[in-house]
Amino acid sequence: MLKIWGRANSINVQKVLWCCEELGIAFERIDAGNEFGVVGGSSYRSLNPNGLVPTIEDDGFHLWESNVIVRYLAHKDTEGHLCPDDLKTRFDAERWMDWQGTIFWPALRPLFIQLIRTPTEKRDPVVIARAEGLSLAAVEILERLLSGRAYLAGDSFTMGDIPAAVAVHRWYELDTPHPELPHLRRWYGLMRQRKYFQKVVMTPLS
Ligand SMILES: N[C@@H](CCC(=O)N[C@@H](CS)C(=O)NCC(=O)O)C(=O)O
């Protein structure tokens, strides 16, 4: 059975758990990271030299980097539920996965850390203001994209929606201004209707 190391409240672990649930892949999850430790030990580091979560083991194959794991699982699924067959649609989805990891989450993460993991008296208003601006600029990119399509890579739910949706969920849940973005709101509503998004992602931020 697929093994997944990682605490269930991690954005990056949630991508993998949600993907598995969507694809009906059975898995065993092992708590690791933050208060659970594990990631600092030499046996974990031999699987993932970064000492971060998630890491998976599939039939003796170890893989880390959450978006790559989602790609791997989606591609491996022979039914093709989440990995589009059409090359251009597939790489459109891939593009939004990379964008989440390189643009969106780096913009939003400092806001998440400040508002969720930093005591009020230690918060830095400069960091918060900068992260709010960069995060808004990122979600406005999604708003423009979603004015012309139902999902990030076209007219159906794909692996391309997974990383962005877990980040958008955090943006909406954070106590930060949320200007009206009707297309983003509609797409986020579609995510919120998904049973496994509710199960894995719609949990209190911590
Ligand atoms: N680029 C990596 C980043 C992994 C990462 O930063 N994971 C965080 C949790 S979201 C982590 O391991 N933090 C330290 C910890 O939990 O101990 C990925 O997408 O998998």
CSV table of all heavy atoms in Angstrom, one decimal, residues 99 103-111 126-141 171 176:
chain,number,residue,atom,x,y,z
A,99,TRP,N,3.1,27.1,-11.0
A,99,TRP,CA,2.8,28.5,-10.6
A,99,TRP,C,2.4,28.5,-9.1
A,99,TRP,O,2.9,29.4,-8.4
A,99,TRP,CB,1.6,29.0,-11.5
A,99,TRP,CG,1.2,30.4,-11.1
A,99,TRP,CD1,1.7,31.6,-11.5
A,99,TRP,CD2,0.0,30.7,-10.3
A,99,TRP,NE1,1.0,32.6,-10.9
A,99,TRP,CE2,-0.1,32.1,-10.2
A,99,TRP,CE3,-0.9,29.9,-9.6
A,99,TRP,CZ2,-1.1,32.8,-9.5
A,99,TRP,CZ3,-1.9,30.6,-8.9
A,99,TRP,CH2,-2.0,32.0,-8.8
A,103,ILE,N,5.1,30.9,-7.4
A,103,ILE,CA,4.6,32.3,-7.4
A,103,ILE,C,3.5,32.5,-6.2
A,103,ILE,O,3.7,33.3,-5.3
A,103,ILE,CB,3.9,32.7,-8.7
A,103,ILE,CG1,4.8,32.6,-9.9
A,103,ILE,CG2,3.3,34.2,-8.6
A,103,ILE,CD1,5.9,33.6,-10.0
A,104,PHE,N,2.5,31.6,-6.3
A,104,PHE,CA,1.4,31.9,-5.4
A,104,PHE,C,1.7,31.5,-3.9
A,104,PHE,O,1.6,32.4,-3.0
A,104,PHE,CB,0.2,31.0,-5.9
A,104,PHE,CG,-1.1,31.3,-5.1
A,104,PHE,CD1,-1.3,32.4,-4.3
A,104,PHE,CD2,-2.2,30.4,-5.3
A,104,PHE,CE1,-2.5,32.6,-3.7
A,104,PHE,CE2,-3.4,30.6,-4.7
A,104,PHE,CZ,-3.6,31.7,-3.8
A,105,TRP,N,2.2,30.3,-3.7
A,105,TRP,CA,2.5,30.0,-2.3
A,105,TRP,C,3.6,30.8,-1.6
A,105,TRP,O,3.5,31.3,-0.5
A,105,TRP,CB,2.7,28.5,-2.1
A,105,TRP,CG,2.9,28.0,-0.7
A,105,TRP,CD1,3.9,27.3,-0.1
A,105,TRP,CD2,1.9,28.2,0.4
A,105,TRP,NE1,3.6,27.1,1.2
A,105,TRP,CE2,2.4,27.7,1.5
A,105,TRP,CE3,0.7,28.9,0.5
A,105,TRP,CZ2,1.8,27.7,2.8
A,105,TRP,CZ3,0.0,28.9,1.7
A,105,TRP,CH2,0.6,28.3,2.8
A,106,PRO,N,4.7,31.1,-2.4
A,106,PRO,CA,5.7,32.0,-1.8
A,106,PRO,C,5.1,33.4,-1.5
A,106,PRO,O,5.6,34.0,-0.5
A,106,PRO,CB,6.8,32.1,-2.9
A,106,PRO,CG,6.7,30.9,-3.7
A,106,PRO,CD,5.2,30.5,-3.7
A,107,ALA,N,4.1,33.8,-2.2
A,107,ALA,CA,3.5,35.1,-1.9
A,107,ALA,C,2.6,35.0,-0.6
A,107,ALA,O,2.6,35.9,0.3
A,107,ALA,CB,2.6,35.6,-3.0
A,108,LEU,N,1.9,33.9,-0.5
A,108,LEU,CA,0.9,33.7,0.5
A,108,LEU,C,1.5,33.2,1.8
A,108,LEU,O,1.0,33.5,2.9
A,108,LEU,CB,-0.2,32.8,0.0
A,108,LEU,CG,-1.4,32.5,0.9
A,108,LEU,CD1,-2.1,33.8,1.4
A,108,LEU,CD2,-2.4,31.5,0.2
A,109,ARG,N,2.5,32.4,1.7
A,109,ARG,CA,3.0,31.7,2.9
A,109,ARG,C,3.4,32.6,4.1
A,109,ARG,O,3.0,32.4,5.2
A,109,ARG,CB,4.3,30.8,2.5
A,109,ARG,CG,4.8,30.0,3.7
A,109,ARG,CD,5.9,29.0,3.2
A,109,ARG,NE,6.3,28.2,4.3
A,109,ARG,CZ,7.2,28.6,5.3
A,109,ARG,NH1,7.8,29.8,5.2
A,109,ARG,NH2,7.5,27.8,6.3
A,110,PRO,N,4.1,33.8,3.8
A,110,PRO,CA,4.4,34.7,4.9
A,110,PRO,C,3.1,35.2,5.7
A,110,PRO,O,3.2,35.4,6.9
A,110,PRO,CB,5.2,35.8,4.2
A,110,PRO,CG,5.7,35.3,3.0
A,110,PRO,CD,4.6,34.2,2.5
A,111,LEU,N,2.1,35.4,4.9
A,111,LEU,CA,0.8,35.8,5.5
A,111,LEU,C,0.3,34.7,6.4
A,111,LEU,O,-0.2,35.0,7.6
A,111,LEU,CB,-0.2,36.2,4.4
A,111,LEU,CG,-1.4,36.9,4.8
A,111,LEU,CD1,-1.1,38.2,5.5
A,111,LEU,CD2,-2.3,37.2,3.6
A,126,VAL,N,4.8,45.0,8.3
A,126,VAL,CA,5.4,45.2,7.0
A,126,VAL,C,5.3,43.9,6.2
A,126,VAL,O,5.0,43.9,5.0
A,126,VAL,CB,6.9,45.7,7.1
A,126,VAL,CG1,7.5,45.8,5.8
A,126,VAL,CG2,6.9,47.1,7.8
A,127,VAL,N,5.7,42.8,6.9
A,127,VAL,CA,5.6,41.5,6.2
A,127,VAL,C,4.2,41.2,5.8
A,127,VAL,O,3.9,40.7,4.7
A,127,VAL,CB,6.1,40.4,7.2
A,127,VAL,CG1,5.9,39.0,6.6
A,127,VAL,CG2,7.6,40.6,7.5
A,128,ILE,N,3.2,41.5,6.7
A,128,ILE,CA,1.8,41.2,6.4
A,128,ILE,C,1.3,42.0,5.2
A,128,ILE,O,0.7,41.5,4.3
A,128,ILE,CB,0.9,41.5,7.7
A,128,ILE,CG1,1.3,40.5,8.8
A,128,ILE,CG2,-0.6,41.5,7.4
A,128,ILE,CD1,0.6,40.7,10.1
A,129,ALA,N,1.6,43.3,5.2
A,129,ALA,CA,1.2,44.2,4.1
A,129,ALA,C,1.7,43.7,2.8
A,129,ALA,O,1.0,43.7,1.8
A,129,ALA,CB,1.5,45.6,4.4
A,130,ARG,N,3.0,43.4,2.8
A,130,ARG,CA,3.6,42.9,1.5
A,130,ARG,C,3.0,41.6,1.0
A,130,ARG,O,2.7,41.5,-0.1
A,130,ARG,CB,5.1,42.7,1.8
A,130,ARG,CG,5.9,42.3,0.6
A,130,ARG,CD,7.4,42.2,0.8
A,130,ARG,NE,8.1,41.3,-0.1
A,130,ARG,CZ,8.3,41.5,-1.4
A,130,ARG,NH1,7.9,42.6,-1.9
A,130,ARG,NH2,8.9,40.6,-2.1
A,131,ALA,N,2.8,40.7,2.0
A,131,ALA,CA,2.2,39.4,1.6
A,131,ALA,C,0.8,39.5,1.2
A,131,ALA,O,0.3,38.8,0.2
A,131,ALA,CB,2.3,38.4,2.8
A,132,GLU,N,0.1,40.5,1.8
A,132,GLU,CA,-1.3,40.7,1.3
A,132,GLU,C,-1.4,41.2,-0.1
A,132,GLU,O,-2.2,40.7,-0.9
A,132,GLU,CB,-2.0,41.7,2.3
A,132,GLU,CG,-2.4,41.1,3.6
A,132,GLU,CD,-3.2,42.1,4.5
A,132,GLU,OE1,-3.0,43.3,4.4
A,132,GLU,OE2,-3.9,41.6,5.4
A,133,GLY,N,-0.5,42.1,-0.4
A,133,GLY,CA,-0.4,42.7,-1.8
A,133,GLY,C,0.0,41.6,-2.8
A,133,GLY,O,-0.7,41.5,-3.9
A,134,LEU,N,1.0,40.8,-2.5
A,134,LEU,CA,1.5,39.8,-3.5
A,134,LEU,C,0.4,38.7,-3.6
A,134,LEU,O,0.2,38.2,-4.7
A,134,LEU,CB,2.8,39.2,-3.0
A,134,LEU,CG,4.0,40.2,-3.1
A,134,LEU,CD1,5.2,39.5,-2.4
A,134,LEU,CD2,4.3,40.5,-4.5
A,135,SER,N,-0.2,38.4,-2.5
A,135,SER,CA,-1.3,37.3,-2.6
A,135,SER,C,-2.5,37.7,-3.4
A,135,SER,O,-3.0,37.0,-4.2
A,135,SER,CB,-1.7,36.9,-1.2
A,135,SER,OG,-0.7,36.4,-0.4
A,136,LEU,N,-2.8,39.0,-3.2
A,136,LEU,CA,-4.0,39.5,-4.0
A,136,LEU,C,-3.6,39.6,-5.5
A,136,LEU,O,-4.4,39.2,-6.3
A,136,LEU,CB,-4.4,40.9,-3.5
A,136,LEU,CG,-5.6,41.6,-4.2
A,136,LEU,CD1,-6.8,40.7,-4.0
A,136,LEU,CD2,-5.9,43.0,-3.6
A,137,ALA,N,-2.4,40.0,-5.8
A,137,ALA,CA,-2.0,40.0,-7.2
A,137,ALA,C,-2.1,38.5,-7.8
A,137,ALA,O,-2.5,38.3,-8.9
A,137,ALA,CB,-0.6,40.5,-7.3
A,138,ALA,N,-1.7,37.6,-7.0
A,138,ALA,CA,-1.8,36.2,-7.4
A,138,ALA,C,-3.2,35.7,-7.7
A,138,ALA,O,-3.5,35.1,-8.7
A,138,ALA,CB,-1.0,35.2,-6.5
A,139,VAL,N,-4.1,36.0,-6.7
A,139,VAL,CA,-5.5,35.5,-6.9
A,139,VAL,C,-6.1,36.2,-8.0
A,139,VAL,O,-7.0,35.7,-8.7
A,139,VAL,CB,-6.3,35.5,-5.6
A,139,VAL,CG1,-5.8,34.5,-4.6
A,139,VAL,CG2,-6.4,36.9,-5.0
A,140,GLU,N,-5.7,37.5,-8.3
A,140,GLU,CA,-6.3,38.2,-9.4
A,140,GLU,C,-5.9,37.6,-10.8
A,140,GLU,O,-6.7,37.6,-11.7
A,140,GLU,CB,-5.9,39.7,-9.4
A,140,GLU,CG,-6.7,40.4,-8.3
A,140,GLU,CD,-6.2,41.9,-8.1
A,140,GLU,OE1,-5.0,42.2,-8.5
A,140,GLU,OE2,-7.0,42.6,-7.5
A,141,ILE,N,-4.7,36.9,-10.8
A,141,ILE,CA,-4.4,36.1,-12.0
A,141,ILE,C,-5.4,35.0,-12.2
A,141,ILE,O,-5.8,34.7,-13.3
A,141,ILE,CB,-2.9,35.6,-11.9
A,141,ILE,CG1,-1.9,36.8,-11.9
A,141,ILE,CG2,-2.6,34.6,-12.9
A,141,ILE,CD1,-0.5,36.5,-11.7
A,171,TRP,N,-6.1,31.3,1.6
A,171,TRP,CA,-6.3,32.7,1.4
A,171,TRP,C,-7.7,33.2,1.9
A,171,TRP,O,-7.8,34.1,2.6
A,171,TRP,CB,-6.1,33.1,-0.1
A,171,TRP,CG,-6.2,34.6,-0.3
A,171,TRP,CD1,-5.3,35.5,0.1
A,171,TRP,CD2,-7.3,35.3,-1.0
A,171,TRP,NE1,-5.8,36.8,-0.3
A,171,TRP,CE2,-7.0,36.6,-1.0
A,171,TRP,CE3,-8.5,34.8,-1.6
A,171,TRP,CZ2,-7.8,37.6,-1.6
A,171,TRP,CZ3,-9.3,35.8,-2.2
A,171,TRP,CH2,-9.0,37.2,-2.2
A,176,THR,N,-7.8,38.5,6.3
A,176,THR,CA,-7.2,39.4,5.4
A,176,THR,C,-8.3,39.9,4.4
A,176,THR,O,-9.3,39.2,4.2
A,176,THR,CB,-6.0,38.7,4.6
A,176,THR,OG1,-5.3,39.6,3.8
A,176,THR,CG2,-6.5,37.6,3.8
